[in-house]
Amino acid sequence: MAKVAVIGFGLVGRLAALMLAKTHQVSVFEQGDANTVDSAGTLAAAMLAPLAESVICEADLAEQGLAAIPLWQGVLAELDLPVMFQQAGTLVVAHQQDRGDLHNFIRRLKPLAGHSAQSLNQTDIATLEPELAGRFSQGVYLPCEGQLDNLAFYAASFKTLKRLGVQFHFHTKVNIDGNQVGNDTFDWIVDCRGIGAKAQMQGLRGVRGEVARIYAPEVTLNRPVRLMHPRYPIYIAPKPNHEFVIGATEIESQDAGDVTVRSTLELLSAAYTVHSGFAEGRVLALRAGLRPAFDDNRPKVTRDGALIRINGLYRHGFLLAPLVVKNALTEVML
Amino acid sequence: MNCALTIYGQSFESRLLIGSALYPSPEVMQASIRASGSQIVTVSLRRQNSVAAGQDFWDLIKALDLTILPNTAGCHSVKEAVTLAHMCREVFDTDWIKLELIGDEYNLQPDPIALLEATKILIDDGFKVLPYCTDDLVICQRLAELGCEVLMPWGAPIGTGKGLLNPYALRTIRERLSEMTLIVDAGLGLPSHACQALELGYDAVLLNSAVAGAGCPETMAKAFRAAVEAGRFSYEAGAMIERDIAAPSTPTLGMPFWHQ
């Protein structure tokens, strides 16, 4: 049994702690509280969308994302609270005047072992999503994709880790020095701070993202829906109890300040064009955060003595984290 | 013949101006811009929220060590554009501004009336304005009268990749404003579109989506670099005149003359 410090209690920190807690003595250090509202993962739509993301990332990352989906099932199965997980695919649609953007999206999908996109006509769309019947004449279905409830995962992981005896140090900003974290010594230190590690990680930058969380009782969607649009491509990820995560802007900025009016208008107008039932929805939250990214927008794992750093998951946190964290820990035989 | 591109008194070898948006990653952006051979890169300050907030991205652009042409992308009013131009001048330490004023939200067509108004204000404020305009001759003439030394008429609406929708209009502008530096900005999709613009006598092209949105942006950047060079060589060489009757290019020695 090794003594391990996990620094940062966001998505990566939680997964690292869950993978370590049963066989090692784990301490978690977090500058915020247990809710870690600064964590990019609390804003995320938590879609597991390797095929859709293959349009903007390299093929090997998309393959890793596909391989990470069953890992999520394993992680969630061991939690003390249920977390909504589904693998019912993604629906991608575009309005008639934007069909060029849909075709462009299809053209740029990368081949993913054994998984491809299916073209849909109006009837197919109505079968998959009855409430979108008649709204779109064409779309594509990406059957291999899934999603989970990010906030439920945050709650369940904390409860489970407490039961497993993990020691928590909230409101604690730490200095890492060799094997030392603060005044304590560890066999291994896993730095999972995301953008919080900016000062220590060369080339790490924040990419601003803004999302809305909406309660819309008049809207029922069975799976995440992506809308292709020349300027406002959005996704709508349905969470339990008619809650929807609508996102996301992507702005090259370190500003984590409040969501702008412009972004709000873009996100919510686009969502309204997908389903008019959003008009009567309630805005539960409008949030902005920073995705940690390196210049190549790929995750990076580095090791320096006892210190392992896992960072740069960019917009692919939920997609890639279980595999990236597992590989990083396996490499040092933890 | 002056073989260099001249923009407000500065000379450039490359006739390809390139944008810095929409690439899959900053690394791909840097590689593509280098591969394009461009010496001028456009950047959009809008939506970066503040100077400090965008610093990491500016550093990546500055690392390219190219001339920076800030633009007012996304502005819908004269006031917005003028304010943003002043911010750009401070942030990038340049009096150049690519003035973009959107008149139609959907196809991002420039607003020619507001463009004239903003151009006048900015020139009075000491800016060197590069206006993004439609291919309307009279608007181009008015912009020239206001003191613009460079004009950037569109090939097609931004991001459509349709190429030169109205070569006749573009040719007319070239002929009538023969001393101006003219750059086709927006709407190009293929290297052949860029080549065509240079063949028409345009001094340069400015593009972004055609490279950033390609399957391999870096390779497409090379393709545009070659196409722009080809088009310029063609213009400098002077193309042959098109004719309707075939003319043999190989001398037919030995054929009895009455058969010719």
Side-chain angles (χ1 to χ4, degrees), chain A residues 56 97-98 107-108 198 204-206 208 210 229-232 249 251-255 260 262-263 266 294-297 314, chain B residues 23-28 30 46-50 52-57 60 74 76 80 105-108 212-215:
Chain A
I56 60 147
Q97 64 271 31
D98 303 324
R107 193 172 57 85
R108 295 179 67 187
K198 190 164 188 288
L204 189 68
R205 74 186 200 286
R208 177 178 167 92
E210 295 153 303
H229 185 279
R231 280 176 301 292
Y232 319 131
T249 60
I251 302 167
E252 287 288 349
S253 172
Q254 309 304 306
D255 182 342
T260 62
R262 175 187 291 260
S263 296
E266 288 174 3
F294 291 101
D295 288 355
D296 56 4
N297 288 347
Y314 179 46
Chain B
Y23 295 87
S25 72
E27 191 176 77
V28 173
Q30 288 180 315
R46 190 160 186 88
R47 313 205 58 180
Q48 307 293 339
N49 304 309
S50 73
Q55 198 56 52
D56 286 0
F57 193 68
L60 292 166
H76 290 73
E80 273 181 278
E105 175 61 30
Y106 210 84
N107 72 357
L108 303 179

Side-chain angles (χ1 to χ4, degrees), chain B residues 17-113:
Chain B
L17 288 73
I18 195 160
S20 55
L22 305 171
Y23 295 87
S25 72
E27 191 176 77
V28 173
M29 173 195 75
Q30 288 180 315
S32 305
I33 292 175
R34 285 204 181 94
S36 76
S38 289
Q39 292 168 289
I40 300 172
V41 61
T42 62
V43 294
S44 169
L45 186 67
R46 190 160 186 88
R47 313 205 58 180
Q48 307 293 339
N49 304 309
S50 73
V51 178
Q55 198 56 52
D56 286 0
F57 193 68
W58 305 142
D59 289 346
L60 292 166
I61 303 259
K62 282 178 185 157
L64 293 162
D65 198 22
L66 301 176
T67 299
I68 289 179
L69 172 58
N71 69 35
T72 61
C75 287
H76 290 73
S77 72
V78 172
K79 190 178 169 214
E80 273 181 278
V82 169
T83 307
L84 189 58
H86 281 272
M87 276 172 67
C88 288
R89 182 155 71 178
E90 279 182 33
V91 173
F92 299 109
D93 195 24
T94 175
D95 50 8
W96 285 16
I97 188 78
K98 177 189 155 181
L99 184 58
E100 194 176 317
L101 250 160
I102 300 307
D104 184 88
E105 175 61 30
Y106 210 84
N107 72 357
L108 303 179
Q109 181 159 342
D111 179 337
I113 296 140

Side-chain angles (χ1 to χ4, degrees), chain A residues 161-212:
Chain A
L161 289 166
K162 276 193 294 192
R163 180 195 29 100
L164 290 171
V166 168
Q167 291 191 5
F168 288 97
H169 306 271
F170 292 114
H171 305 290
T172 308
K173 255 190 149 168
V174 294
N175 286 319
I176 304 167
D177 184 11
N179 284 42
Q180 293 269 127
V181 174
N183 298 322
D184 211 346
T185 306
F186 293 88
D187 299 317
W188 294 100
I189 300 162
V190 190
D191 179 357
C192 311
R193 287 175 295 169
I195 201 65
K198 190 164 188 288
Q200 285 81 40
M201 292 203 86
Q202 177 86 19
L204 189 68
R205 74 186 200 286
V207 180
R208 177 178 167 92
E210 295 153 303
V211 297

Side-chain angles (χ1 to χ4, degrees), chain B residues 154-251:
Chain B
W154 71 359
I158 296 173
T160 57
K162 286 182 178 294
L164 309 186
L165 287 183
N166 194 343
Y168 168 77
L170 290 171
R171 190 181 295 115
T172 305
I173 296 167
R174 176 70 285 175
E175 285 168 2
R176 296 290 298 279
L177 297 168
S178 55
E179 301 302 313
M180 296 283 290
T181 294
L182 295 178
I183 299 171
V184 169
D185 178 8
L188 305 185
L190 294 171
S192 53
H193 300 152
C195 187
Q196 192 191 358
L198 273 289
E199 285 173 342
L200 282 178
Y202 274 72
D203 297 281
V205 292
L206 193 165
L207 52 90
N208 190 343
S209 310
V211 167
C216 178
E218 190 177 347
T219 306
M220 191 55 89
K222 286 183 199 163
F224 270 99
R225 177 184 194 159
V228 165
E229 281 175 10
R232 181 63 188 182
F233 278 137
S234 165
Y235 176 71
E236 289 176 2
M240 65 165 279
I241 304 299
E242 188 181 319
R243 58 181 154 206
D244 291 332
I245 306 298
S249 54
T250 311

Side-chain angles (χ1 to χ4, degrees), chain A residues 227-243:
Chain A
L227 176 71
M228 293 293 119
H229 185 279
R231 280 176 301 292
Y232 319 131
I234 60 153
Y235 56 72
I236 302 170
K239 303 301 176 194
N241 307 317
H242 291 282
E243 285 189 20

Side-chain angles (χ1 to χ4, degrees), chain B residues 246-258:
Chain B
S249 54
T250 311
T252 48
L253 282 176
M255 185 181 284
F257 65 88
W258 56 86

Side-chain angles (χ1 to χ4, degrees), chain A residues 23-328:
Chain A
T23 42
H24 301 285
Q25 185 190 333
V26 177
S27 298
V28 168
F29 296 86
E30 163 59 42
Q31 65 169 341
D33 62 19
N35 297 322
T36 51
V37 289
D38 290 340
S39 160
T42 64
L43 275 74
M47 291 184 296
L48 310 173
L51 201 49
E53 290 300 313
S54 77
V55 167
I56 60 147
C57 72
E58 288 98 328
D60 66 310
L61 286 186
E63 294 284 357
Q64 288 177 39
L66 188 64
I69 294 176
L71 294 181
W72 265 120
Q73 289 171 290
V75 168
L76 299 182
E78 301 202 351
L79 297 181
D80 293 355
L81 291 170
V83 175
M84 178 272 253
F85 170 92
Q86 66 165 203
Q87 199 169 1
T90 302
L91 174 63
V92 186
V93 291
H95 295 294
Q96 188 63 20
Q97 64 271 31
D98 303 324
R99 58 189 184 280
D101 292 278
L102 182 65
H103 292 149
N104 197 37
F105 173 83
I106 296 166
R107 193 172 57 85
R108 295 179 67 187
L109 287 168
K110 296 189 177 75
L112 207 52
H115 298 277
S116 57
Q118 299 168 6
S119 285
L120 305 178
N121 62 25
Q122 202 165 347
T123 317
D124 304 328
I125 293 171
T127 308
L128 279 175
E129 295 293 346
E131 294 198 357
L132 300 187
R135 289 176 192 262
F136 300 97
S137 58
Q138 53 187 336
V140 268
Y141 179 50
L142 313 175
C144 65
E145 301 194 337
Q147 65 152 340
L148 57 96
D149 182 349
N150 58 328
L151 298 184
F153 169 70
Y154 269 58
S157 55
F158 183 42
K159 182 163 194 248
T160 309
L161 289 166
K162 276 193 294 192
R163 180 195 29 100
L164 290 171
V166 168
Q167 291 191 5
F168 288 97
H169 306 271
F170 292 114
H171 305 290
T172 308
K173 255 190 149 168
V174 294
N175 286 319
I176 304 167
D177 184 11
N179 284 42
Q180 293 269 127
V181 174
N183 298 322
D184 211 346
T185 306
F186 293 88
D187 299 317
W188 294 100
I189 300 162
V190 190
D191 179 357
C192 311
R193 287 175 295 169
I195 201 65
K198 190 164 188 288
Q200 285 81 40
M201 292 203 86
Q202 177 86 19
L204 189 68
R205 74 186 200 286
V207 180
R208 177 178 167 92
E210 295 153 303
V211 297
R213 203 164 176 115
I214 305 290
Y215 168 63
E218 292 177 24
V219 181
T220 302
L221 295 174
N222 299 317
R223 56 182 58 72
V225 175
R226 286 178 183 237
L227 176 71
M228 293 293 119
H229 185 279
R231 280 176 301 292
Y232 319 131
I234 60 153
Y235 56 72
I236 302 170
K239 303 301 176 194
N241 307 317
H242 291 282
E243 285 189 20
F244 298 85
V245 177
I246 299 170
T249 60
E250 187 159 336
I251 302 167
E252 287 288 349
S253 172
Q254 309 304 306
D255 182 342
D258 290 336
V259 177
T260 62
V261 172
R262 175 187 291 260
S263 296
T264 308
L265 290 171
E266 288 174 3
L267 291 173
L268 298 187
S269 320
Y272 174 69
T273 69
V274 172
H275 195 311
S276 51
F278 282 116
E280 298 304 321
R282 304 289 174 154
V283 179
L284 300 177
L286 285 167
R287 296 195 51 206
L290 298 178
R291 309 171 179 95
F294 291 101
D295 288 355
D296 56 4
N297 288 347
R298 292 174 62 95
K300 192 182 279 184
V301 176
T302 61
R303 200 186 132 197
D304 179 12
L307 174 62
I308 303 158
R309 294 189 196 273
I310 306 170
N311 215 321
L313 274 88
Y314 179 46
R315 55 184 270 166
H316 300 133
F318 279 88
L319 179 67
L320 296 174
L323 192 67
V324 171
V325 173
K326 180 172 171 265
N327 289 346

